[in-house]
Amino acid sequence: MVPLITLVAGTGLARLAGLAGVGALDGWHLALRIGLALMLTVTGLAHFSPRRRADLVALVPPRLPHPRFLVTLTGGLELLGAAALLAPPTARWAAAGLAVLMLAMFPANVSGARRKLTLAGRPVTPLAARTAMQGVFVATAVAISVGT
């Protein structure tokens, strides 16, 4: 739930700043980029957090090889993508790539929910809620990729 809250709050605060007269933040497209970048920073850093890393490794479906490497790779890609979202020349391409990455990572969420795993001692988000959240995340990335 933290990623969704981060996305919504980051987007909302950026948009409010734009409406309050911060010209550089005037517009929904940039607000969405900021919100998604904040969310990906939070989730990307979790891949390297000692408190969460082992749980994220456990989420990787058992049939996939090298789960530690996959967690490192996806965390790094999330952080690189977050940075690229903030640079206008790379934002649209980054958003498109991040949408693909989020779709590729979704089976780990399904696997974790089906196996009733935990993250930081709490049960993972139930599959229906996680699917809805993932839809919001991917839709945001697509909106950034195709928006103006």
Side-chain angles (χ1 to χ4, degrees):
M1 191 61 79
V2 170
L4 181 61
I5 292 168
T6 304
L7 172 64
V8 171
T11 301
L13 290 172
R15 187 64 190 117
L16 285 173
L19 292 171
V22 179
L25 297 178
D26 193 19
W28 277 104
H29 192 261
L30 180 55
L32 286 171
R33 286 174 33 212
I34 290 169
L36 189 59
L38 287 171
M39 188 268 300
L40 289 164
T41 299
V42 168
T43 59
L45 289 174
H47 287 72
F48 302 99
S49 163
R51 184 168 179 226
R52 289 194 168 74
R53 184 167 172 81
D55 292 341
L56 291 172
V57 169
L59 283 178
V60 175
R63 69 182 178 278
L64 294 178
H66 312 291
R68 284 180 181 77
F69 170 74
L70 291 173
V71 169
T72 300
L73 176 65
T74 55
L77 290 172
E78 287 180 7
L79 293 171
L80 287 171
L85 284 171
L86 298 177
T90 58
R92 289 180 195 274
W93 287 106
L98 288 163
V100 172
L101 177 65
M102 288 185 271
L103 291 171
M105 291 170 40
F106 187 63
N109 295 297
V110 172
S111 175
R114 286 187 174 163
R115 292 185 289 140
K116 299 185 184 341
L117 298 180
T118 61
L119 276 173
R122 294 187 302 234
V124 297
T125 306
L127 189 53
R130 181 60 195 176
T131 301
M133 287 191 313
Q134 196 77 5
V136 170
F137 302 151
V138 171
T140 301
V142 169
I144 292 166
S145 181
V146 301
T148 57

